[in-house]
Amino acid sequence: MTEISPLKYLQWRPIGVCDSGSGKERKARMFSRSDLARVTAPDVNRGNWRQNQEVMQLIARYANEVAKLSALTEGMYSPEISEIKLVGAVLGLDQTPILNQESSDGKVQFFQVSFRDGKPKKTSFINWKKWLKFLLIAAGSIIALILIYLAIIQVPKFPDRGTKRNESCSSNRQKKAYAEEIQSIRKSLLMDLSRLPEWSTFREARVQCAPGKLKLIKQEQRLLQCYLTVRNRVNDLPATARPDLGKIESCVQILCSRGLPHLSSLCRRL
């Protein structure tokens, strides 16, 4: 492309916006049909296009697209227009010399834009913005940690009943204390569960673990059913929120180790 003399050529036909690269490195964007009509309107010419606000806005919009394609803007943080020239278009079509001649004679033109990096004007603002983003993320992380800590310390603490686990349900089945202990274990676990926020959803556990006067065989079956129901239900809870199942688990293991026929189907589910 060659610089156009406003005196030599009278035809006015700018067809797009290009950068100031040379040869195949030059990048350009052609005007759409509607934008071409604006630039070539009767009231726009070589002498007044710089004073036409609509034309200058259109050039700036296309220049922004060219900046994304141009190799000349590589490394620029924020490319902006430093200069606009009207240049004649040499389209490089050797097989159509007439078209080339018309182009070099200025019958077809481009708005050639040069770019400069606008980064120095925005550096302090951008750094401040990055720091603000960092501080917001850091503050959010600290608040999240505080909330997690508060949630943990609010979790109900279940008493440690592991001191005599190995002795649970180890007494003779014929003794009254054996049946009373089984019922006590269910009742104690039920009280622990009632402290959980999820207690309202433990419907089956409330039924299986509820105390009541039952025959010994039913008491033993109910104990295993209570344990299985609670174990399956609390698996979804955080480890810190789960009730201590040590005592009932120890009792269940002792019962199943005795090979009692009425408990065989339940023991197989352990």
Side-chain angles (χ1 to χ4, degrees), residues 41-180:
D43 59 331
V44 182
N45 55 52
R46 296 179 189 275
N48 67 7
W49 61 270
R50 291 184 185 275
Q51 288 73 47
N52 190 300
Q53 184 176 1
E54 185 178 13
V55 171
M56 294 300 292
Q57 290 176 349
L58 190 147
I59 294 172
R61 175 159 58 86
Y62 276 80
N64 185 53
E65 297 179 15
V66 172
K68 298 175 183 177
L69 305 173
S70 177
L72 302 179
T73 58
E74 291 181 4
M76 292 187 184
Y77 191 89
S78 179
E80 60 183 34
I81 299 173
S82 62
E83 184 181 27
I84 304 175
K85 290 183 178 180
L86 186 65
V87 297
V90 178
L91 301 181
L93 304 176
D94 295 334
Q95 67 273 29
T96 55
I98 295 178
L99 180 58
N100 280 329
Q101 184 178 356
E102 290 177 354
S103 300
S104 61
D105 285 346
K107 293 183 178 180
V108 178
Q109 306 96 39
F110 274 91
F111 292 109
Q112 176 181 287
V113 293
S114 298
F115 296 101
R116 64 186 175 195
D117 196 349
K119 182 180 178 180
K121 295 181 180 179
K122 300 182 179 180
T123 301
S124 59
F125 171 76
I126 292 171
N127 288 341
W128 174 83
K129 188 175 181 180
K130 286 184 177 179
W131 273 108
L132 178 59
K133 184 178 181 180
F134 170 77
L135 291 175
L136 289 175
I137 293 174
S141 300
I142 293 172
I143 293 173
L145 290 174
I146 293 174
L147 293 176
I148 292 173
Y149 171 75
L150 292 175
I152 291 174
I153 64 175
Q154 292 298 323
V155 171
K157 300 296 188 295
F158 299 99
D160 184 6
R161 300 187 297 275
T163 307
K164 297 184 179 180
R165 282 182 184 174
N166 295 333
E167 301 177 10
S168 299
C169 307
S170 60
S171 57
N172 193 313
R173 291 182 71 237
Q174 305 302 322
K175 293 182 178 180
K176 183 179 179 181
Y178 173 80
E180 290 177 348

Side-chain angles (χ1 to χ4, degrees), residues 63 164 195 219:
K164 297 184 179 180
R195 299 191 186 105
Q219 289 275 19

Side-chain angles (χ1 to χ4, degrees), residues 27-44:
K27 300 296 180 182
R29 287 301 305 269
M30 308 294 285
F31 290 136
S32 67
R33 180 176 297 180
S34 58
D35 290 336
L36 179 62
R38 295 177 188 175
V39 176
T40 57
D43 59 331
V44 182

